[in-house]
Amino acid sequence: MLSTRAAGAALLLTLLARPEAAQAQNPPILTWGGEIRPRMETSKAGGGSREQITSMRTRMVLDARFDEGLGLFFQFQDVRTWGEETSERDRSADALDFHQAFLEVAELPAIGGTLRAGRQEVAVAESRFLGAPDWGQAGQTFDGARWLRPLGRNRLELVALKLREESSPAHDTEGEILVAWYSISPGRMGSGDLLALHDRSTGPAPTRQHTVGGIWRVDPAPFSFRVQAMVQLGEREGTKVRANMLAARAGAQLLDGKGTVTLWYDRLSGDDAPDAGEVRAFSALYGARNRYYGRADYFTDIPRDTGGLGLQDAVLKLALRASPRLSLNLDLHAFRTAARGDLDSRRLGEEADVWAQYKFREHLTLQSGYSLTRSGPAMEALGTLEGTGHFGYFMTSLRF
């Protein structure tokens, strides 16, 4: 299985990577870092009561760099909600964990490139399907190995991640994801990405799903254009899958580069006939969805959050760098389902997201935002939101 093969390969490559490095006399170069990020959130959905919560993320980083391209990276993380402890004298540290812990070996013999093995953040091809989103306080990390290899001006990255281990006490099935990403640097015809993901799981309803496609970008200043197309084939939870995704955007710089306006459209296919023996709903897998589908987080798990009917998202994005310290943003979303199914209307709703970020000191950043969501017939029929949703937050981040 992947767990044995990937671990064995990582260990073998580590042992073979320039054994003379063990004789190096120079001490490692140590770099410390950290972050404390409290965030207060307030929300109100429809006619319900207003809810408030304050969460906090605390991180500490140790990066050790040795001779001959060897490195160790550790990132401790504690994520908790204010007031959640059962006792003021609680010292259990039950919210403390390794967010990242991996070894790195550069300039591998024979094959070149860099190997990273362990628990780590992984972001490929604009993070739509596999990303390291920073909005959630806990973030997102995976256990596995990555091989990064420059190929001239381009780059190849191969990833093998373990999602579930059957022999562990926490799971009774296996799960993993394999990724190949080829990044093409800017040239006469623009830049791009070729991406292939294979996710699989065992069990009574196994999954062996392939997500394949690419991104093409061209940026003739002051404009920028981007198109992405992906298809999903194979088997998902025991059923044949055939789904697709298309995303396009066009942007322009304004006010001598201080502002941008962007038109954005995403379409993730949906399933009109879920009992027809074939799944047509596209899955966003492990992407950074808050970055794409609204900051109020009504669509964080697609296709589940749209009832398997897919998603259409038409967006107008406005951004302004008012000063070197202050940036302002406004996103206007119009959400629709891609398939109608049994709904009377495809209209999910509309959302307006506005937020500002201010660099208060060299290491201290303040951010505040508000989202207003108006539900449509489809959103109400799915039980996601009825009426108007309000979400606001204030967050500080101290990093060093």
Side-chain angles (χ1 to χ4, degrees):
M1 298 303 292
L2 172 65
S3 56
T4 304
R5 293 176 182 173
L11 179 59
L12 178 61
L13 289 172
T14 302
L15 295 176
L16 290 177
R18 296 183 182 266
E20 66 271 19
Q23 303 175 7
Q25 300 298 314
N26 295 330
I29 299 175
L30 302 179
T31 303
W32 289 91
E35 179 191 27
I36 293 180
R37 191 174 84 167
R39 181 169 70 212
M40 183 187 71
E41 301 177 16
T42 177
S43 61
K44 184 176 185 295
S49 59
R50 184 172 299 277
E51 297 182 1
Q52 289 188 341
I53 189 173
T54 301
S55 61
M56 187 167 75
R57 178 172 83 188
T58 306
R59 288 178 174 175
M60 289 295 297
V61 171
L62 172 61
D63 189 359
R65 296 290 146 176
F66 302 85
D67 288 342
E68 300 295 336
L70 300 178
L72 292 174
F73 185 88
F74 299 96
Q75 187 177 47
F76 301 91
Q77 175 175 274
D78 181 277
V79 177
R80 64 183 65 237
T81 301
W82 285 8
E84 74 173 23
E85 299 294 351
T86 58
S87 169
E88 289 74 15
R89 299 178 181 272
D90 189 338
R91 300 294 184 268
S92 62
D94 52 350
L96 182 65
D97 198 0
F98 275 113
H99 182 62
Q100 297 189 82
F102 61 84
L103 62 88
E104 183 174 292
V105 184
E107 300 179 16
L108 295 172
I111 61 174
T114 298
L115 171 74
R116 292 178 184 169
R119 188 159 187 81
Q120 55 193 292
E121 293 182 343
V122 183
V124 300
E126 300 187 353
S127 299
R128 279 189 177 271
F129 312 110
L130 184 64
D134 192 51
W135 169 253
Q137 293 285 55
Q140 181 170 265
T141 55
F142 301 88
D143 297 319
R146 301 167 66 193
W147 178 58
L148 305 89
R149 176 71 159 87
L151 298 173
R153 296 177 59 205
N154 304 328
R155 191 180 77 160
L156 173 66
E157 183 168 339
L158 302 179
V159 184
L161 304 175
K162 192 69 180 180
L163 305 178
R164 294 183 302 279
E165 173 56 61
E166 186 177 12
S167 62
S168 71
H171 302 288
D172 55 7
T173 62
E174 297 274 348
E176 49 248 355
I177 184 167
L178 308 176
V179 183
W181 172 31
Y182 185 66
S183 178
I184 304 170
S185 64
R188 294 179 58 186
M189 301 299 293
S191 63
D193 297 294
L194 300 177
L195 182 65
L197 305 96
H198 173 67
D199 63 295
R200 62 193 186 197
S201 63
T202 63
T207 292
R208 291 184 176 273
Q209 180 175 253
H210 319 286
T211 305
V212 183
I215 306 172
W216 175 67
R217 312 178 193 87
V218 59
D219 301 299
F223 303 102
S224 64
F225 304 93
R226 189 164 309 187
V227 177
Q228 180 171 10
M230 305 291 292
V231 296
Q232 281 181 341
L233 304 169
E235 183 183 30
R236 185 192 303 165
E237 297 181 354
T239 304
K240 179 181 177 181
V241 59
R242 187 174 65 180
N244 59 79
M245 175 262 191
L246 177 66
R249 80 185 199 196
Q253 296 182 359
L254 306 171
L255 305 175
D256 295 326
K258 295 181 180 180
T260 59
V261 56
T262 304
L263 295 175
W264 192 317
Y265 175 75
D266 285 6
R267 185 186 188 278
L268 288 70
S269 66
D271 205 337
D272 262 318
D275 299 324
E278 185 177 74
V279 177
R280 294 180 176 270
F282 191 89
S283 171
L285 296 175
Y286 305 96
R289 296 148 210 173
N290 177 272
R291 185 184 307 175
Y292 293 101
Y293 307 124
R295 298 174 71 88
D297 285 345
Y298 285 107
F299 306 107
T300 60
D301 189 343
I302 299 170
R304 186 197 65 182
D305 290 342
T306 59
L309 297 174
L311 178 68
Q312 296 182 79
D313 182 16
V315 194
L316 170 64
K317 291 176 172 280
L318 303 174
L320 174 65
R321 192 158 188 85
S323 74
R325 292 179 176 269
L326 176 64
S327 61
L328 305 171
N329 292 268
L330 171 65
D331 291 356
L332 301 174
H333 294 262
F335 297 113
R336 303 293 185 268
T337 63
R340 184 184 294 274
D342 296 329
L343 299 178
D344 296 329
S345 169
R346 295 188 183 188
R347 179 175 160 245
L348 288 163
E350 293 75 40
E351 180 175 315
D353 303 323
V354 58
W355 71 97
Q357 181 166 295
Y358 180 68
K359 190 173 182 180
F360 185 69
R361 294 286 190 273
E362 179 181 359
H363 300 285
L364 179 61
T365 301
L366 311 179
Q367 187 179 131
S368 185
Y370 171 72
S371 297
L372 175 68
T373 306
R374 184 179 61 181
S375 67
M379 213 171 185
E380 295 177 358
L382 293 170
T384 307
L385 173 67
E386 184 172 349
T388 302
H390 304 267
F391 171 73
Y393 72 93
F394 177 76
M395 177 172 67
T396 67
S397 176
L398 175 61
R399 296 186 178 184
F400 65 95

